[in-house]
Amino acid sequence: MKKRMAVMSSLVLAAGLVSACGGGTSNNDSSNAGGSASASGGSEAAKPQKVELSLMLTGLGRFKEQFDQYLTQFAAKEKAEKGIDVTYNLELPSDGNLLKTRLASGDAPDIFSFHAAFDGPTFEKGGYLPDLSNEPFVGKLIDTIRNVVTINGKVVGVPMESFSWSYLYNKDIFDKYGLKVPTTLSEMKQVVETLKSNKVTPFMLAYKDANFPGWLTQLSFEAVAAKQVPDWWDRMNKGEASFSELKDKGMFDIIDLVNANGTKRPLEVGADDGLAKFANGEAAMLVTGTWYADSILKANPNFKLGLGALPVNDDPNSTMVNLAVSTTLTVYPESPNKAVATDFLNYLLDDQDSSAFFESLKFNKVAKNQQIEAFPWTDEGNKYVEAGHSYLDQSIPQSANEALGKMSQSYFAGDTTQDQLVAELDKQWKKSIEIQK
């Protein structure tokens, strides 16, 4: 408990990185779903055990239907194989702070999602993540993906979203005007001019949600750091570096290009509207990840989705995608329903049912036993990775990540200068380092 109290303040103050939108709560009774328990004599003691699982899956509201169905399947399997009647309470908040508050107060859900790179180290330090290294699902994981959910030598959860990301583009628009995916900043400027000359808006901007402008800033500074200042991350986490180094290397060049060539009034446009407008051809590109593929294709099933790497300068080697594992599901170590919750984690990579579930989410495969046909955007992302044009997703301290989105909104609005944005990110990064000591 002392260990948890040591990081409680950071969990309450920290803001979670959300890669998507969604919300709501689902209360579902699955006790009558399939299967029958083995009992003897019909005595009271022989009746099936009843367990209600509580789940909090941040940022996955758009997948409520899929999770409801999979939880119902799990309940049927658990009753048939173990005689346990499972019901569930599914919460799908959009704000990661709710989970942090619940964890810090001791009112944790049985199962929760977290961002492996961003939240993992802090949650593990606080004692909020279990050691799942000996669970059956671990042996099924692809090695590189298993490494991302391994902290201090222990596997702490089941990875769900594995992807390469940078920006999405409309293939039909690119094909119509004979455009190739740019490999340098100068080429991107040419693409922008060609689109504008044909009365096509280059970028969809949906900045009402701080995540979107924050992702643009994140992609820019990470790409600059990866090639031009490779020791920056280590020095930054020691309090020995600054965002000013990345600013001097041109971090704002692509940010300013995107912001100057986007749709109107973006601070009034939320994620759902922005995705729908992009799906309907109102702009050619959108800086976000492929985790929104399902939402885009629901809005326009005929949309031809492409994935490109955002150029930050005129060195093609600096044009890279972010290679990440974000959404990870785990069980609260002190959950009274830990055994059943762990059964559900293993069921996520079930040999018979997992592939169809991941396909319904349009997630890439994370395990060797999954048979999932690669999506076109996945193939494009893999080409960047295979060519050495990728960098591994790294942990941005939570307070710095919160500032990243808010300051990026303010910078777009003209209320914050580059130097002010840099200074605030430095300040919040150092603050996080001090809290975690």
Side-chain angles (χ1 to χ4, degrees), residues 92-281:
L92 299 163
S94 59
D95 185 358
N97 282 327
L98 180 58
L99 172 64
K100 294 176 174 65
T101 300
R102 291 271 296 273
L103 289 173
S105 67
D107 181 29
D110 298 313
I111 295 171
F112 61 88
S113 66
F114 66 100
H115 190 291
F118 290 173
D119 295 323
T122 301
F123 282 11
E124 195 278 333
K125 184 177 180 180
Y128 296 100
L129 300 180
D131 185 352
L132 301 170
S133 304
N134 295 322
E135 291 300 323
F137 77 82
V138 174
K140 301 175 183 180
L141 292 172
I142 297 169
D143 291 345
T144 54
I145 292 176
R146 184 183 65 246
N147 292 341
V148 178
V149 295
T150 301
I151 302 175
N152 290 333
K154 63 183 183 183
V155 176
V156 296
V158 179
M160 294 291 293
E161 290 183 281
S162 168
F163 45 77
S164 302
W165 70 286
S166 185
Y167 72 92
L168 309 177
Y169 69 95
N170 186 319
K171 286 188 173 182
D172 284 336
I173 290 178
F174 268 56
D175 289 345
K176 181 176 181 178
Y177 299 108
L179 298 172
K180 294 182 179 180
V181 176
T183 61
T184 66
L185 185 62
S186 292
E187 290 179 2
M188 177 60 87
K189 290 177 180 177
Q190 293 174 359
V191 166
V192 166
E193 290 307 313
T194 298
L195 290 169
K196 290 169 63 178
S197 67
N198 285 282
K199 299 185 182 341
V200 177
T201 304
F203 294 97
M204 173 58 61
L205 305 183
Y207 285 1
K208 184 176 182 180
D209 297 296
N211 288 329
F212 279 81
W215 288 329
L216 172 59
T217 303
Q218 176 189 342
L219 288 165
S220 179
F221 88 73
E222 287 183 343
V224 170
K227 283 296 182 182
Q228 298 183 67
V229 196
D231 66 343
W232 182 85
W233 284 95
D234 287 338
R235 290 189 296 107
M236 193 68 181
N237 288 325
K238 295 176 182 177
E240 300 171 357
S242 168
F243 274 87
S244 62
E245 299 174 43
L246 308 183
K247 172 181 174 289
D248 293 342
K249 296 290 185 180
M251 163 186 153
F252 284 93
D253 291 347
I254 185 62
I255 296 172
D256 290 343
L257 180 66
V258 172
N259 285 346
N261 294 281
T263 47
K264 297 179 180 179
R265 296 186 294 278
L267 293 172
E268 301 173 13
V269 179
D272 290 342
D273 285 344
L275 292 166
K277 290 175 182 292
F278 176 64
N280 289 318

